[in-house]
Amino acid sequence: MEANGSLASDLGSCFRSTNFSTTLSATLSANLSEKLIVSRWFSTAFGSIGLASNLFALCVLVSSSRKMHSRARSSFLIFLCGLVVTDFLGLLVTGTIIISYHFTKFNWMVVDPACYLCNFLGLSMVFFGQCPLLLGATMAGERFFGINRPFSRSTSMSKRRAWFMVGLVWAFSFSLGLLPILGLGEYTLQFPNSWCFITMLHDAKNVTFCLIFALLGILAVGLSFLFNTVSVVTLCRVYHDRESVQRRRDSEVEMMVQLVGIMIIATVCWLPLLIFIIQTVLQEPAPDLLPRQIPRQTEEMLLIYLRMVTWNQILDPWVYILFRRAVLKRIYPSLKTRPSIGSLYPMLNPSLRRKLTQESVLQ
């Protein structure tokens, strides 16, 4: 025990009691659990599929953007490009460290006693986790104003402004990831010692950061749902309005189908983890735990929920790949290019309506 105490005092804050005070029976139990829910081939296969999917989607996006002249569609493609790049880099950065551990089983206490690598991995997990949720909410908000308030802006968002919004989301997510390194909470090694993440202990700082992380993610999903619901209702009204039946704009429908797909995937993949984090930090800790120890069942559930989150990065690019207009036309051949959503508002100034209409038909 004294040796363990001396070892613990020489290590960084990313190591908890269970990382260096494990008995032989606990080790055997952990190995059995690893065989059930952890596999090097699982991580490698899913990482490879995710990287290939995002790379393919990025190539399709670049090709589409070169042929696109509509500002509304161009700005939307920029947001999609930011999302795909984020997912690709997230899988590449985190997967490199996690898969390396699975194949080498390196000792974190030897390789990273000061926790620099663990802090980097934890920051990456938070950054690449929050970015897709915030980008999804930003895209939903941009489409909400584009569909429901076309008269509030005479021109669509420029490419420069779209990239600025993407950069703003990246900067905000990076700042959020820095908080534990600056003292609000901490990143610690998680079961089965292959990754680092926020710490679900019950001290004030860790509880605060866990709640910030989880509630911000839930807020982003909620805003996406609100904006997308109103936008879909507006488009459904257009499609069922007899006077406007020939004035539908298929590009708006295409973008909304993709946005709704992204929102559904984010909701299914992320909400279980975010709700689990809130429930865990708000409930009373078990009285028989060691200092800075998290119940093994909680650690295993956290790992399972992380697996679900990984699907978000894998499925996101396929939303764009499968729900492009070229693919949708094969399913619904009557889709044709039609005038702008701006034609929904006949009270607009004629010159403004012409400007909106001319812009929208440039596909």
Side-chain angles (χ1 to χ4, degrees), residues 80-97:
L80 273 178
C81 184
L83 178 63
V84 171
V85 169
T86 302
D87 286 339
F88 178 84
L89 291 177
L91 288 169
L92 181 64
V93 172
T94 60
T96 299
I97 300 174

Side-chain angles (χ1 to χ4, degrees), residues 106-123:
F106 61 80
N107 189 330
W108 283 86
M109 300 177 192
V110 175
V111 174
D112 187 36
C115 294
Y116 296 126
L117 181 61
C118 187
N119 285 332
F120 171 76
L121 181 56
L123 186 153

Side-chain angles (χ1 to χ4, degrees), residues 130 133-134 172 176 198 207-223 270-271 273-279 281-282:
Q130 282 290 342
L133 299 179
L134 296 177
F172 178 82
L176 178 69
I198 59 179
V207 169
T208 300
F209 183 73
C210 285
L211 290 177
I212 290 174
F213 176 83
L215 291 175
L216 181 62
I218 293 174
L219 176 62
V221 173
L223 287 176
W270 271 98
L271 275 189
L273 172 63
L274 299 176
I275 293 173
F276 175 74
I277 290 174
I278 294 175
Q279 290 177 335
V281 298
L282 292 183

Side-chain angles (χ1 to χ4, degrees), residues 155-166:
T155 58
S156 301
M157 182 181 292
S158 66
K159 291 184 179 180
R160 180 176 297 180
R161 186 180 176 187
W163 277 117
F164 173 78
M165 294 294 293
V166 173

Side-chain angles (χ1 to χ4, degrees), residues 293-305:
Q293 183 181 11
I294 297 174
R296 174 51 58 89
Q297 183 180 7
T298 300
E299 292 184 317
E300 291 179 354
M301 289 301 299
L302 180 62
L303 181 61
I304 292 172
Y305 287 129

